[in-house]
Protein backbone atom coordinates (compact mmCIF):
# COMPACT_ATOMS: atom_id res chain seq x y z
CA UNK A 1 0.00 0.00 0.00
CA UNK A 2 1.48 3.40 -0.95
CA UNK A 3 1.28 6.27 1.50
CA UNK A 4 0.28 9.61 -0.10
CA UNK A 5 2.82 12.39 0.44
CA UNK A 6 1.16 15.40 2.14
CA UNK A 7 1.82 18.82 0.63
CA UNK A 8 1.44 22.14 2.46
CA UNK A 9 -0.34 25.39 1.68
CA UNK A 10 -0.19 28.29 4.12
CA UNK A 11 -1.58 31.72 4.72
CA UNK A 12 1.17 34.33 5.02
CA UNK A 13 0.34 37.39 7.11
CA UNK A 14 1.20 39.32 10.25
CA UNK A 15 -0.60 38.80 12.56
CA UNK A 16 -2.39 35.70 11.28
CA UNK A 17 -4.13 34.09 14.26
CA UNK A 18 -7.50 35.64 13.24
CA UNK A 19 -7.55 34.04 9.77
CA UNK A 20 -10.37 31.57 9.15
CA UNK A 21 -9.00 30.48 5.74
CA UNK A 22 -7.31 27.40 7.30
CA UNK A 23 -10.69 26.15 8.50
CA UNK A 24 -12.69 26.32 5.30
CA UNK A 25 -9.77 25.42 3.01
CA UNK A 26 -8.90 22.32 5.08
CA UNK A 27 -12.56 21.25 5.03
CA UNK A 28 -12.49 21.52 1.22
CA UNK A 29 -9.24 19.53 0.84
CA UNK A 30 -10.57 16.83 3.17
CA UNK A 31 -13.89 16.64 1.34
CA UNK A 32 -12.06 15.85 -1.92
CA UNK A 33 -9.63 13.45 -0.18
CA UNK A 34 -6.61 15.57 -1.17
CA UNK A 35 -3.38 15.07 0.81
CA UNK A 36 -2.91 18.78 1.49
CA UNK A 37 -2.49 20.50 4.85
CA UNK A 38 -3.38 24.20 5.18
CA UNK A 39 -1.27 26.02 7.80
CA UNK A 40 -0.91 29.49 9.34
CA UNK A 41 2.48 30.96 8.43
CA UNK A 42 2.88 34.05 10.61
CA UNK A 43 5.51 36.17 8.87
CA UNK A 44 6.78 39.58 10.03
CA UNK A 45 7.70 41.93 7.15
CA UNK A 46 11.47 41.41 7.58
CA UNK A 47 10.99 37.65 7.08
CA UNK A 48 8.81 37.75 3.97
CA UNK A 49 11.65 37.18 1.48
CA UNK A 50 12.89 34.16 3.47
CA UNK A 51 9.37 32.73 3.60
CA UNK A 52 8.97 33.05 -0.18
CA UNK A 53 12.41 31.48 -0.84
CA UNK A 54 11.39 28.61 1.45
CA UNK A 55 8.27 27.92 -0.64
CA UNK A 56 10.30 28.03 -3.86
CA UNK A 57 12.97 25.64 -2.51
CA UNK A 58 10.53 23.20 -0.88
CA UNK A 59 7.66 21.21 -2.35
CA UNK A 60 4.86 23.33 -0.84
CA UNK A 61 1.87 23.78 -3.14
CA UNK A 62 1.63 27.53 -2.57
CA UNK A 63 0.10 30.09 -0.28
CA UNK A 64 -2.50 32.73 0.41
CA UNK A 65 -1.15 36.19 1.20
CA UNK A 66 -2.87 38.69 3.45
CA UNK A 67 -2.25 41.97 5.31
CA UNK A 68 0.39 43.44 5.27
CA UNK A 69 2.13 41.51 2.46
CA UNK A 70 -0.21 41.56 -0.57
CA UNK A 71 1.70 44.36 -2.32
CA UNK A 72 5.26 43.77 -1.06
CA UNK A 73 5.20 40.12 -2.16
CA UNK A 74 4.80 41.04 -5.86
CA UNK A 75 8.51 41.62 -6.68
CA UNK A 76 9.51 38.40 -4.88
CA UNK A 77 7.59 36.14 -7.32
CA UNK A 78 8.56 34.77 -10.76
CA UNK A 79 5.31 35.41 -12.68
CA UNK A 80 2.37 37.68 -11.96
CA UNK A 81 -1.04 37.12 -13.50
CA UNK A 82 -2.32 40.10 -15.55
CA UNK A 83 -5.20 41.01 -13.21
CA UNK A 84 -2.92 40.86 -10.15
CA UNK A 85 -0.47 43.16 -11.97
CA UNK A 86 -3.23 45.67 -12.69
CA UNK A 87 -4.42 45.54 -9.07
CA UNK A 88 -0.84 45.69 -7.80
CA UNK A 89 -1.45 42.99 -5.19
CA UNK A 90 -1.26 39.20 -4.89
CA UNK A 91 -3.34 37.05 -2.54
CA UNK A 92 -2.57 33.62 -4.02
CA UNK A 93 0.75 31.97 -4.88
CA UNK A 94 1.15 28.65 -6.65
CA UNK A 95 4.45 26.73 -6.76
CA UNK A 96 4.96 24.85 -10.03
CA UNK A 97 8.31 23.01 -9.78
CA UNK A 98 10.06 25.90 -8.09
CA UNK A 99 8.47 28.63 -10.22
CA UNK A 100 6.19 30.86 -8.14
CA UNK A 101 3.20 32.51 -9.84
CA UNK A 102 1.05 35.19 -8.18
CA UNK A 103 -2.69 35.75 -8.63
CA UNK A 104 -5.35 37.97 -7.09
CA UNK A 105 -8.64 36.19 -6.46
CA UNK A 106 -10.27 38.99 -4.39
CA UNK A 107 -11.70 40.69 -7.49
CA UNK A 108 -13.18 37.44 -8.79
CA UNK A 109 -14.52 36.63 -5.32
CA UNK A 110 -16.28 39.98 -5.01
CA UNK A 111 -17.82 39.89 -8.50
CA UNK A 112 -19.02 36.30 -8.02
CA UNK A 113 -20.63 37.30 -4.70
CA UNK A 114 -22.41 40.22 -6.43
CA UNK A 115 -23.76 37.95 -9.17
CA UNK A 116 -24.54 34.84 -7.14
CA UNK A 117 -25.55 36.09 -3.70
CA UNK A 118 -26.53 39.69 -4.49
CA UNK A 119 -28.21 38.84 -7.82
CA UNK A 120 -26.74 42.16 -9.02
CA UNK A 121 -26.40 43.46 -12.56
CA UNK A 122 -23.25 45.62 -12.38
CA UNK A 123 -23.08 46.99 -15.91
CA UNK A 124 -23.87 50.74 -16.07
CA UNK A 125 -24.26 51.06 -12.29
CA UNK A 126 -22.98 54.05 -10.25
CA UNK A 127 -20.73 52.70 -7.49
CA UNK A 128 -19.15 54.32 -4.42
CA UNK A 129 -16.13 52.54 -2.89
CA UNK A 130 -15.28 53.43 0.72
CA UNK A 131 -11.56 52.79 1.30
CA UNK A 132 -8.54 52.67 -0.98
CA UNK A 133 -6.41 49.84 0.44
CA UNK A 134 -5.61 46.46 -1.09
CA UNK A 135 -9.19 45.17 -1.01
CA UNK A 136 -10.50 48.41 -2.54
CA UNK A 137 -8.05 48.05 -5.43
CA UNK A 138 -9.25 44.50 -6.16
CA UNK A 139 -12.93 45.51 -5.97
CA UNK A 140 -12.35 48.58 -8.16
CA UNK A 141 -10.57 46.69 -10.95
CA UNK A 142 -13.17 43.92 -10.77
CA UNK A 143 -15.95 46.50 -11.20
CA UNK A 144 -14.09 48.24 -14.02
CA UNK A 145 -14.09 44.97 -15.95
CA UNK A 146 -17.85 44.70 -15.37
CA UNK A 147 -18.26 48.07 -17.17
CA UNK A 148 -19.92 49.96 -14.32
CA UNK A 149 -21.01 53.48 -15.32
CA UNK A 150 -19.01 55.27 -12.61
CA UNK A 151 -16.64 54.52 -9.75
CA UNK A 152 -16.19 57.03 -6.93
CA UNK A 153 -13.39 56.38 -4.45
CA UNK A 154 -13.71 57.84 -0.94
CA UNK A 155 -10.92 57.25 1.57
CA UNK A 156 -9.82 58.76 4.89
CA UNK A 157 -6.38 59.40 3.40
CA UNK A 158 -7.32 61.25 0.23
CA UNK A 159 -3.92 60.82 -1.47
CA UNK A 160 -4.47 57.07 -1.45
CA UNK A 161 -7.91 57.50 -3.07
CA UNK A 162 -6.32 59.73 -5.71
CA UNK A 163 -3.60 57.15 -6.42
CA UNK A 164 -6.24 54.44 -6.92
CA UNK A 165 -8.30 56.73 -9.17
CA UNK A 166 -5.18 57.49 -11.26
CA UNK A 167 -4.44 53.77 -11.65
CA UNK A 168 -8.03 53.14 -12.75
CA UNK A 169 -8.02 56.03 -15.24
CA UNK A 170 -4.78 54.83 -16.81
CA UNK A 171 -5.88 51.22 -16.98
CA UNK A 172 -6.25 49.97 -20.54
CA UNK A 173 -9.75 48.65 -19.84
CA UNK A 174 -11.13 51.83 -18.29
CA UNK A 175 -12.80 53.45 -21.29
CA UNK A 176 -16.53 53.31 -20.40
CA UNK A 177 -16.25 54.10 -16.68
CA UNK A 178 -16.15 57.57 -15.14
CA UNK A 179 -13.70 57.73 -12.19
CA UNK A 180 -13.91 60.33 -9.41
CA UNK A 181 -12.64 60.94 -5.87
CA UNK A 182 -14.84 62.10 -2.98
CA UNK A 183 -13.44 63.58 0.26
CA UNK A 184 -13.99 61.33 3.32
CA UNK A 185 -17.20 62.24 5.16
CA UNK A 186 -18.86 63.97 2.16
CA UNK A 187 -22.41 63.38 1.03
CA UNK A 188 -22.36 60.13 -0.95
CA UNK A 189 -24.43 61.53 -3.84
CA UNK A 190 -26.77 58.51 -3.51
CA UNK A 191 -25.02 55.97 -5.75
CA UNK A 192 -26.77 52.73 -6.72
CA UNK A 193 -24.16 50.52 -5.03
CA UNK A 194 -21.92 51.29 -2.01
CA UNK A 195 -19.02 48.99 -1.10
CA UNK A 196 -17.26 49.27 2.25
CA UNK A 197 -13.65 48.08 1.92
CA UNK A 198 -12.37 49.80 5.08
CA UNK A 199 -11.66 47.96 8.35
CA UNK A 200 -14.47 49.84 10.09
CA UNK A 201 -16.86 47.37 11.74
CA UNK A 202 -14.33 44.54 12.00
CA UNK A 203 -14.40 42.53 15.25
CA UNK A 204 -11.40 43.14 17.48
CA UNK A 205 -10.56 46.50 15.89
CA UNK A 206 -10.89 49.98 17.43
CA UNK A 207 -14.03 50.66 15.35
CA UNK A 208 -15.72 47.29 15.70
CA UNK A 209 -19.15 48.76 16.47
CA UNK A 210 -18.91 51.74 14.09
CA UNK A 211 -20.27 52.33 10.59
CA UNK A 212 -18.29 54.02 7.79
CA UNK A 213 -21.49 55.63 6.53
CA UNK A 214 -24.25 57.74 8.10
CA UNK A 215 -27.68 56.02 7.91
CA UNK A 216 -29.07 59.10 6.10
CA UNK A 217 -26.85 58.20 3.13
CA UNK A 218 -28.69 54.90 2.62
CA UNK A 219 -32.16 54.34 1.17
CA UNK A 220 -34.41 51.77 -0.51
CA UNK A 221 -33.30 50.79 -4.00
CA UNK A 222 -29.62 51.04 -3.05
CA UNK A 223 -27.30 48.04 -2.54
CA UNK A 224 -24.86 48.19 0.38
CA UNK A 225 -21.97 45.68 0.36
CA UNK A 226 -19.58 45.20 3.27
CA UNK A 227 -16.28 43.37 2.77
CA UNK A 228 -15.92 42.95 6.54
CA UNK A 229 -17.05 39.38 7.30
CA UNK A 230 -16.44 39.19 11.06
CA UNK A 231 -19.08 39.79 12.28
CA UNK A 232 -21.14 38.87 9.23
CA UNK A 233 -23.82 41.36 10.33
CA UNK A 234 -21.79 44.55 10.81
CA UNK A 235 -23.19 47.87 12.07
CA UNK A 236 -23.22 49.07 8.43
CA UNK A 237 -25.24 46.04 7.30
CA UNK A 238 -27.74 46.55 10.15
CA UNK A 239 -28.17 50.26 9.35
CA UNK A 240 -28.53 49.54 5.63
CA UNK A 241 -31.29 46.99 6.31
CA UNK A 242 -33.07 49.49 8.58
CA UNK A 243 -32.87 52.06 5.78
CA UNK A 244 -34.53 49.57 3.40
CA UNK A 245 -31.44 49.00 1.24
CA UNK A 246 -30.45 45.60 -0.18
CA UNK A 247 -27.34 44.20 1.56
CA UNK A 248 -24.45 41.89 0.67
CA UNK A 249 -22.18 40.75 3.51
CA UNK A 250 -18.45 39.94 3.23
CA UNK A 251 -18.86 36.19 3.76
CA UNK A 252 -19.69 35.10 0.19
CA UNK A 253 -16.69 37.05 -1.16
CA UNK A 254 -14.44 35.42 1.44
CA UNK A 255 -15.55 31.96 0.38
CA UNK A 256 -15.39 32.66 -3.37
CA UNK A 257 -11.91 34.22 -3.26
CA UNK A 258 -10.82 31.13 -1.31
CA UNK A 259 -12.55 28.82 -3.79
CA UNK A 260 -10.69 30.50 -6.66
CA UNK A 261 -7.37 29.96 -4.81
CA UNK A 262 -8.33 26.32 -4.20
CA UNK A 263 -8.96 25.83 -7.92
CA UNK A 264 -5.60 27.42 -8.85
CA UNK A 265 -3.73 25.07 -6.48
CA UNK A 266 -5.60 21.85 -7.22
CA UNK A 267 -7.17 22.19 -10.69
CA UNK A 268 -10.36 20.83 -9.06
CA UNK A 269 -13.72 22.52 -8.59
CA UNK A 270 -14.00 23.83 -5.02
CA UNK A 271 -16.79 22.34 -2.87
CA UNK A 272 -18.45 25.68 -2.11
CA UNK A 273 -21.14 24.30 0.21
CA UNK A 274 -18.54 22.53 2.35
CA UNK A 275 -16.57 25.79 2.61
CA UNK A 276 -19.65 27.80 3.64
CA UNK A 277 -20.67 25.14 6.19
CA UNK A 278 -17.20 25.14 7.75
CA UNK A 279 -17.53 28.84 8.65
CA UNK A 280 -21.04 28.63 10.11
CA UNK A 281 -20.12 28.13 13.76
CA UNK A 282 -17.25 30.68 13.64
CA UNK A 283 -18.86 33.95 12.62
P1 LIG B 1 -5.74 47.82 4.03
O1 LIG B 1 -5.00 47.72 2.74
O2 LIG B 1 -5.00 47.93 5.30
O3 LIG B 1 -6.76 49.07 3.88
C1 LIG B 1 -7.54 49.49 4.97
C2 LIG B 1 -8.51 50.56 4.51
O4 LIG B 1 -9.37 50.88 5.62
C3 LIG B 1 -7.84 51.87 4.07
O5 LIG B 1 -8.60 52.46 3.06
C4 LIG B 1 -7.90 52.70 5.37
O6 LIG B 1 -7.86 54.09 5.14
C5 LIG B 1 -9.27 52.31 5.87
N1 LIG B 1 -9.44 52.54 7.32
C6 LIG B 1 -8.90 51.82 8.33
N2 LIG B 1 -9.29 52.33 9.51
C7 LIG B 1 -10.08 53.41 9.24
C8 LIG B 1 -10.78 54.34 10.03
N3 LIG B 1 -10.75 54.29 11.38
N4 LIG B 1 -11.50 55.31 9.42
C9 LIG B 1 -11.55 55.39 8.07
N5 LIG B 1 -10.90 54.52 7.25
C10 LIG B 1 -10.17 53.54 7.84
O7 LIG B 1 -6.70 46.53 4.22
P2 LIG B 1 -7.44 45.69 3.08
O8 LIG B 1 -6.64 44.51 2.72
O9 LIG B 1 -7.87 46.62 2.00
O10 LIG B 1 -8.71 45.13 3.89
C11 LIG B 1 -9.74 46.02 4.29
C12 LIG B 1 -10.92 45.22 4.86
O11 LIG B 1 -11.47 44.35 3.87
C13 LIG B 1 -10.56 44.33 6.05
O12 LIG B 1 -11.59 44.42 7.00
C14 LIG B 1 -10.51 42.95 5.45
O13 LIG B 1 -10.82 41.92 6.39
C15 LIG B 1 -11.60 43.05 4.40
N6 LIG B 1 -11.42 42.09 3.30
C16 LIG B 1 -12.42 41.18 3.11
C17 LIG B 1 -12.31 40.27 2.09
C18 LIG B 1 -13.41 39.27 1.88
O14 LIG B 1 -13.18 38.27 1.19
N7 LIG B 1 -14.61 39.49 2.41
C19 LIG B 1 -11.17 40.25 1.26
C20 LIG B 1 -10.17 41.20 1.48
C21 LIG B 1 -10.31 42.12 2.53
P3 LIG B 1 -6.45 54.89 5.11
O15 LIG B 1 -5.90 54.70 3.73
O16 LIG B 1 -6.84 56.28 5.41
O17 LIG B 1 -5.59 54.27 6.18
Amino acid sequence: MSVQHTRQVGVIGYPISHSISPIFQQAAFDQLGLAIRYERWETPPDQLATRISGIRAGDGLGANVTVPHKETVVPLLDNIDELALRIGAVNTIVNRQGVLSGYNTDARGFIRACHTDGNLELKNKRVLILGAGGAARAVAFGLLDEAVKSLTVCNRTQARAEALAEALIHDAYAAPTEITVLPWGSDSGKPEIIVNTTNIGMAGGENSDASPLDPLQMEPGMVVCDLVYNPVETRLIKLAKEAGAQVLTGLPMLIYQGAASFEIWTGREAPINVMFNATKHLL
Side-chain angles (χ1 to χ4, degrees), residues 154 189 191 198 215 282:
C154 177
T198 74
L282 298 168

Side-chain angles (χ1 to χ4, degrees), residues 9-13 21 25 38 41 62-66 90-93 105 257-258 261-262 265:
V9 179
V11 54
I12 302 172
S21 293
Q25 292 287 7
Y38 194 106
W41 292 340
N64 278 135
V65 184
T66 187
V90 158
N91 76 337
T92 305
I93 300 171
T105 66
Q257 61 78 32
S261 301
F262 181 99
W265 296 319

Side-chain angles (χ1 to χ4, degrees), residues 9-12 21 25 38 62-67 69-71 73-74 77 80 84 87-94 101-109 134 138 253-254 256-258 260-261 264-265:
V9 179
V11 54
I12 302 172
S21 293
Q25 292 287 7
Y38 194 106
N64 278 135
V65 184
T66 187
V67 176
H69 302 313
K70 285 186 185 180
E71 291 163 38
V73 79
V74 171
L77 304 176
I80 307 293
I87 295 169
V90 158
N91 76 337
T92 305
I93 300 171
V94 63
S101 300
Y103 298 83
N104 190 309
T105 66
D106 282 337
R108 210 182 327 162
M253 173 182 171
L254 177 74
Y256 297 139
Q257 61 78 32
S261 301
I264 289 169
W265 296 319

Side-chain angles (χ1 to χ4, degrees), residues 66-67 70-71 106 130-137 155-158 160 184 196-200 202 206-207 226-229 249-255 257:
T66 187
V67 176
K70 285 186 185 180
E71 291 163 38
D106 282 337
L130 302 173
R137 294 185 70 91
N155 191 48
R156 177 180 63 177
T157 307
Q158 185 150 333
R160 216 172 170 195
W184 185 248
N196 174 43
T197 74
T198 74
N199 300 327
I200 298 174
M202 194 167 68
E206 286 167 27
N207 300 289
D226 202 341
L227 261 56
V228 175
Y229 54 81
T249 74
L251 185 59
M253 173 182 171
L254 177 74
I255 299 297
Q257 61 78 32

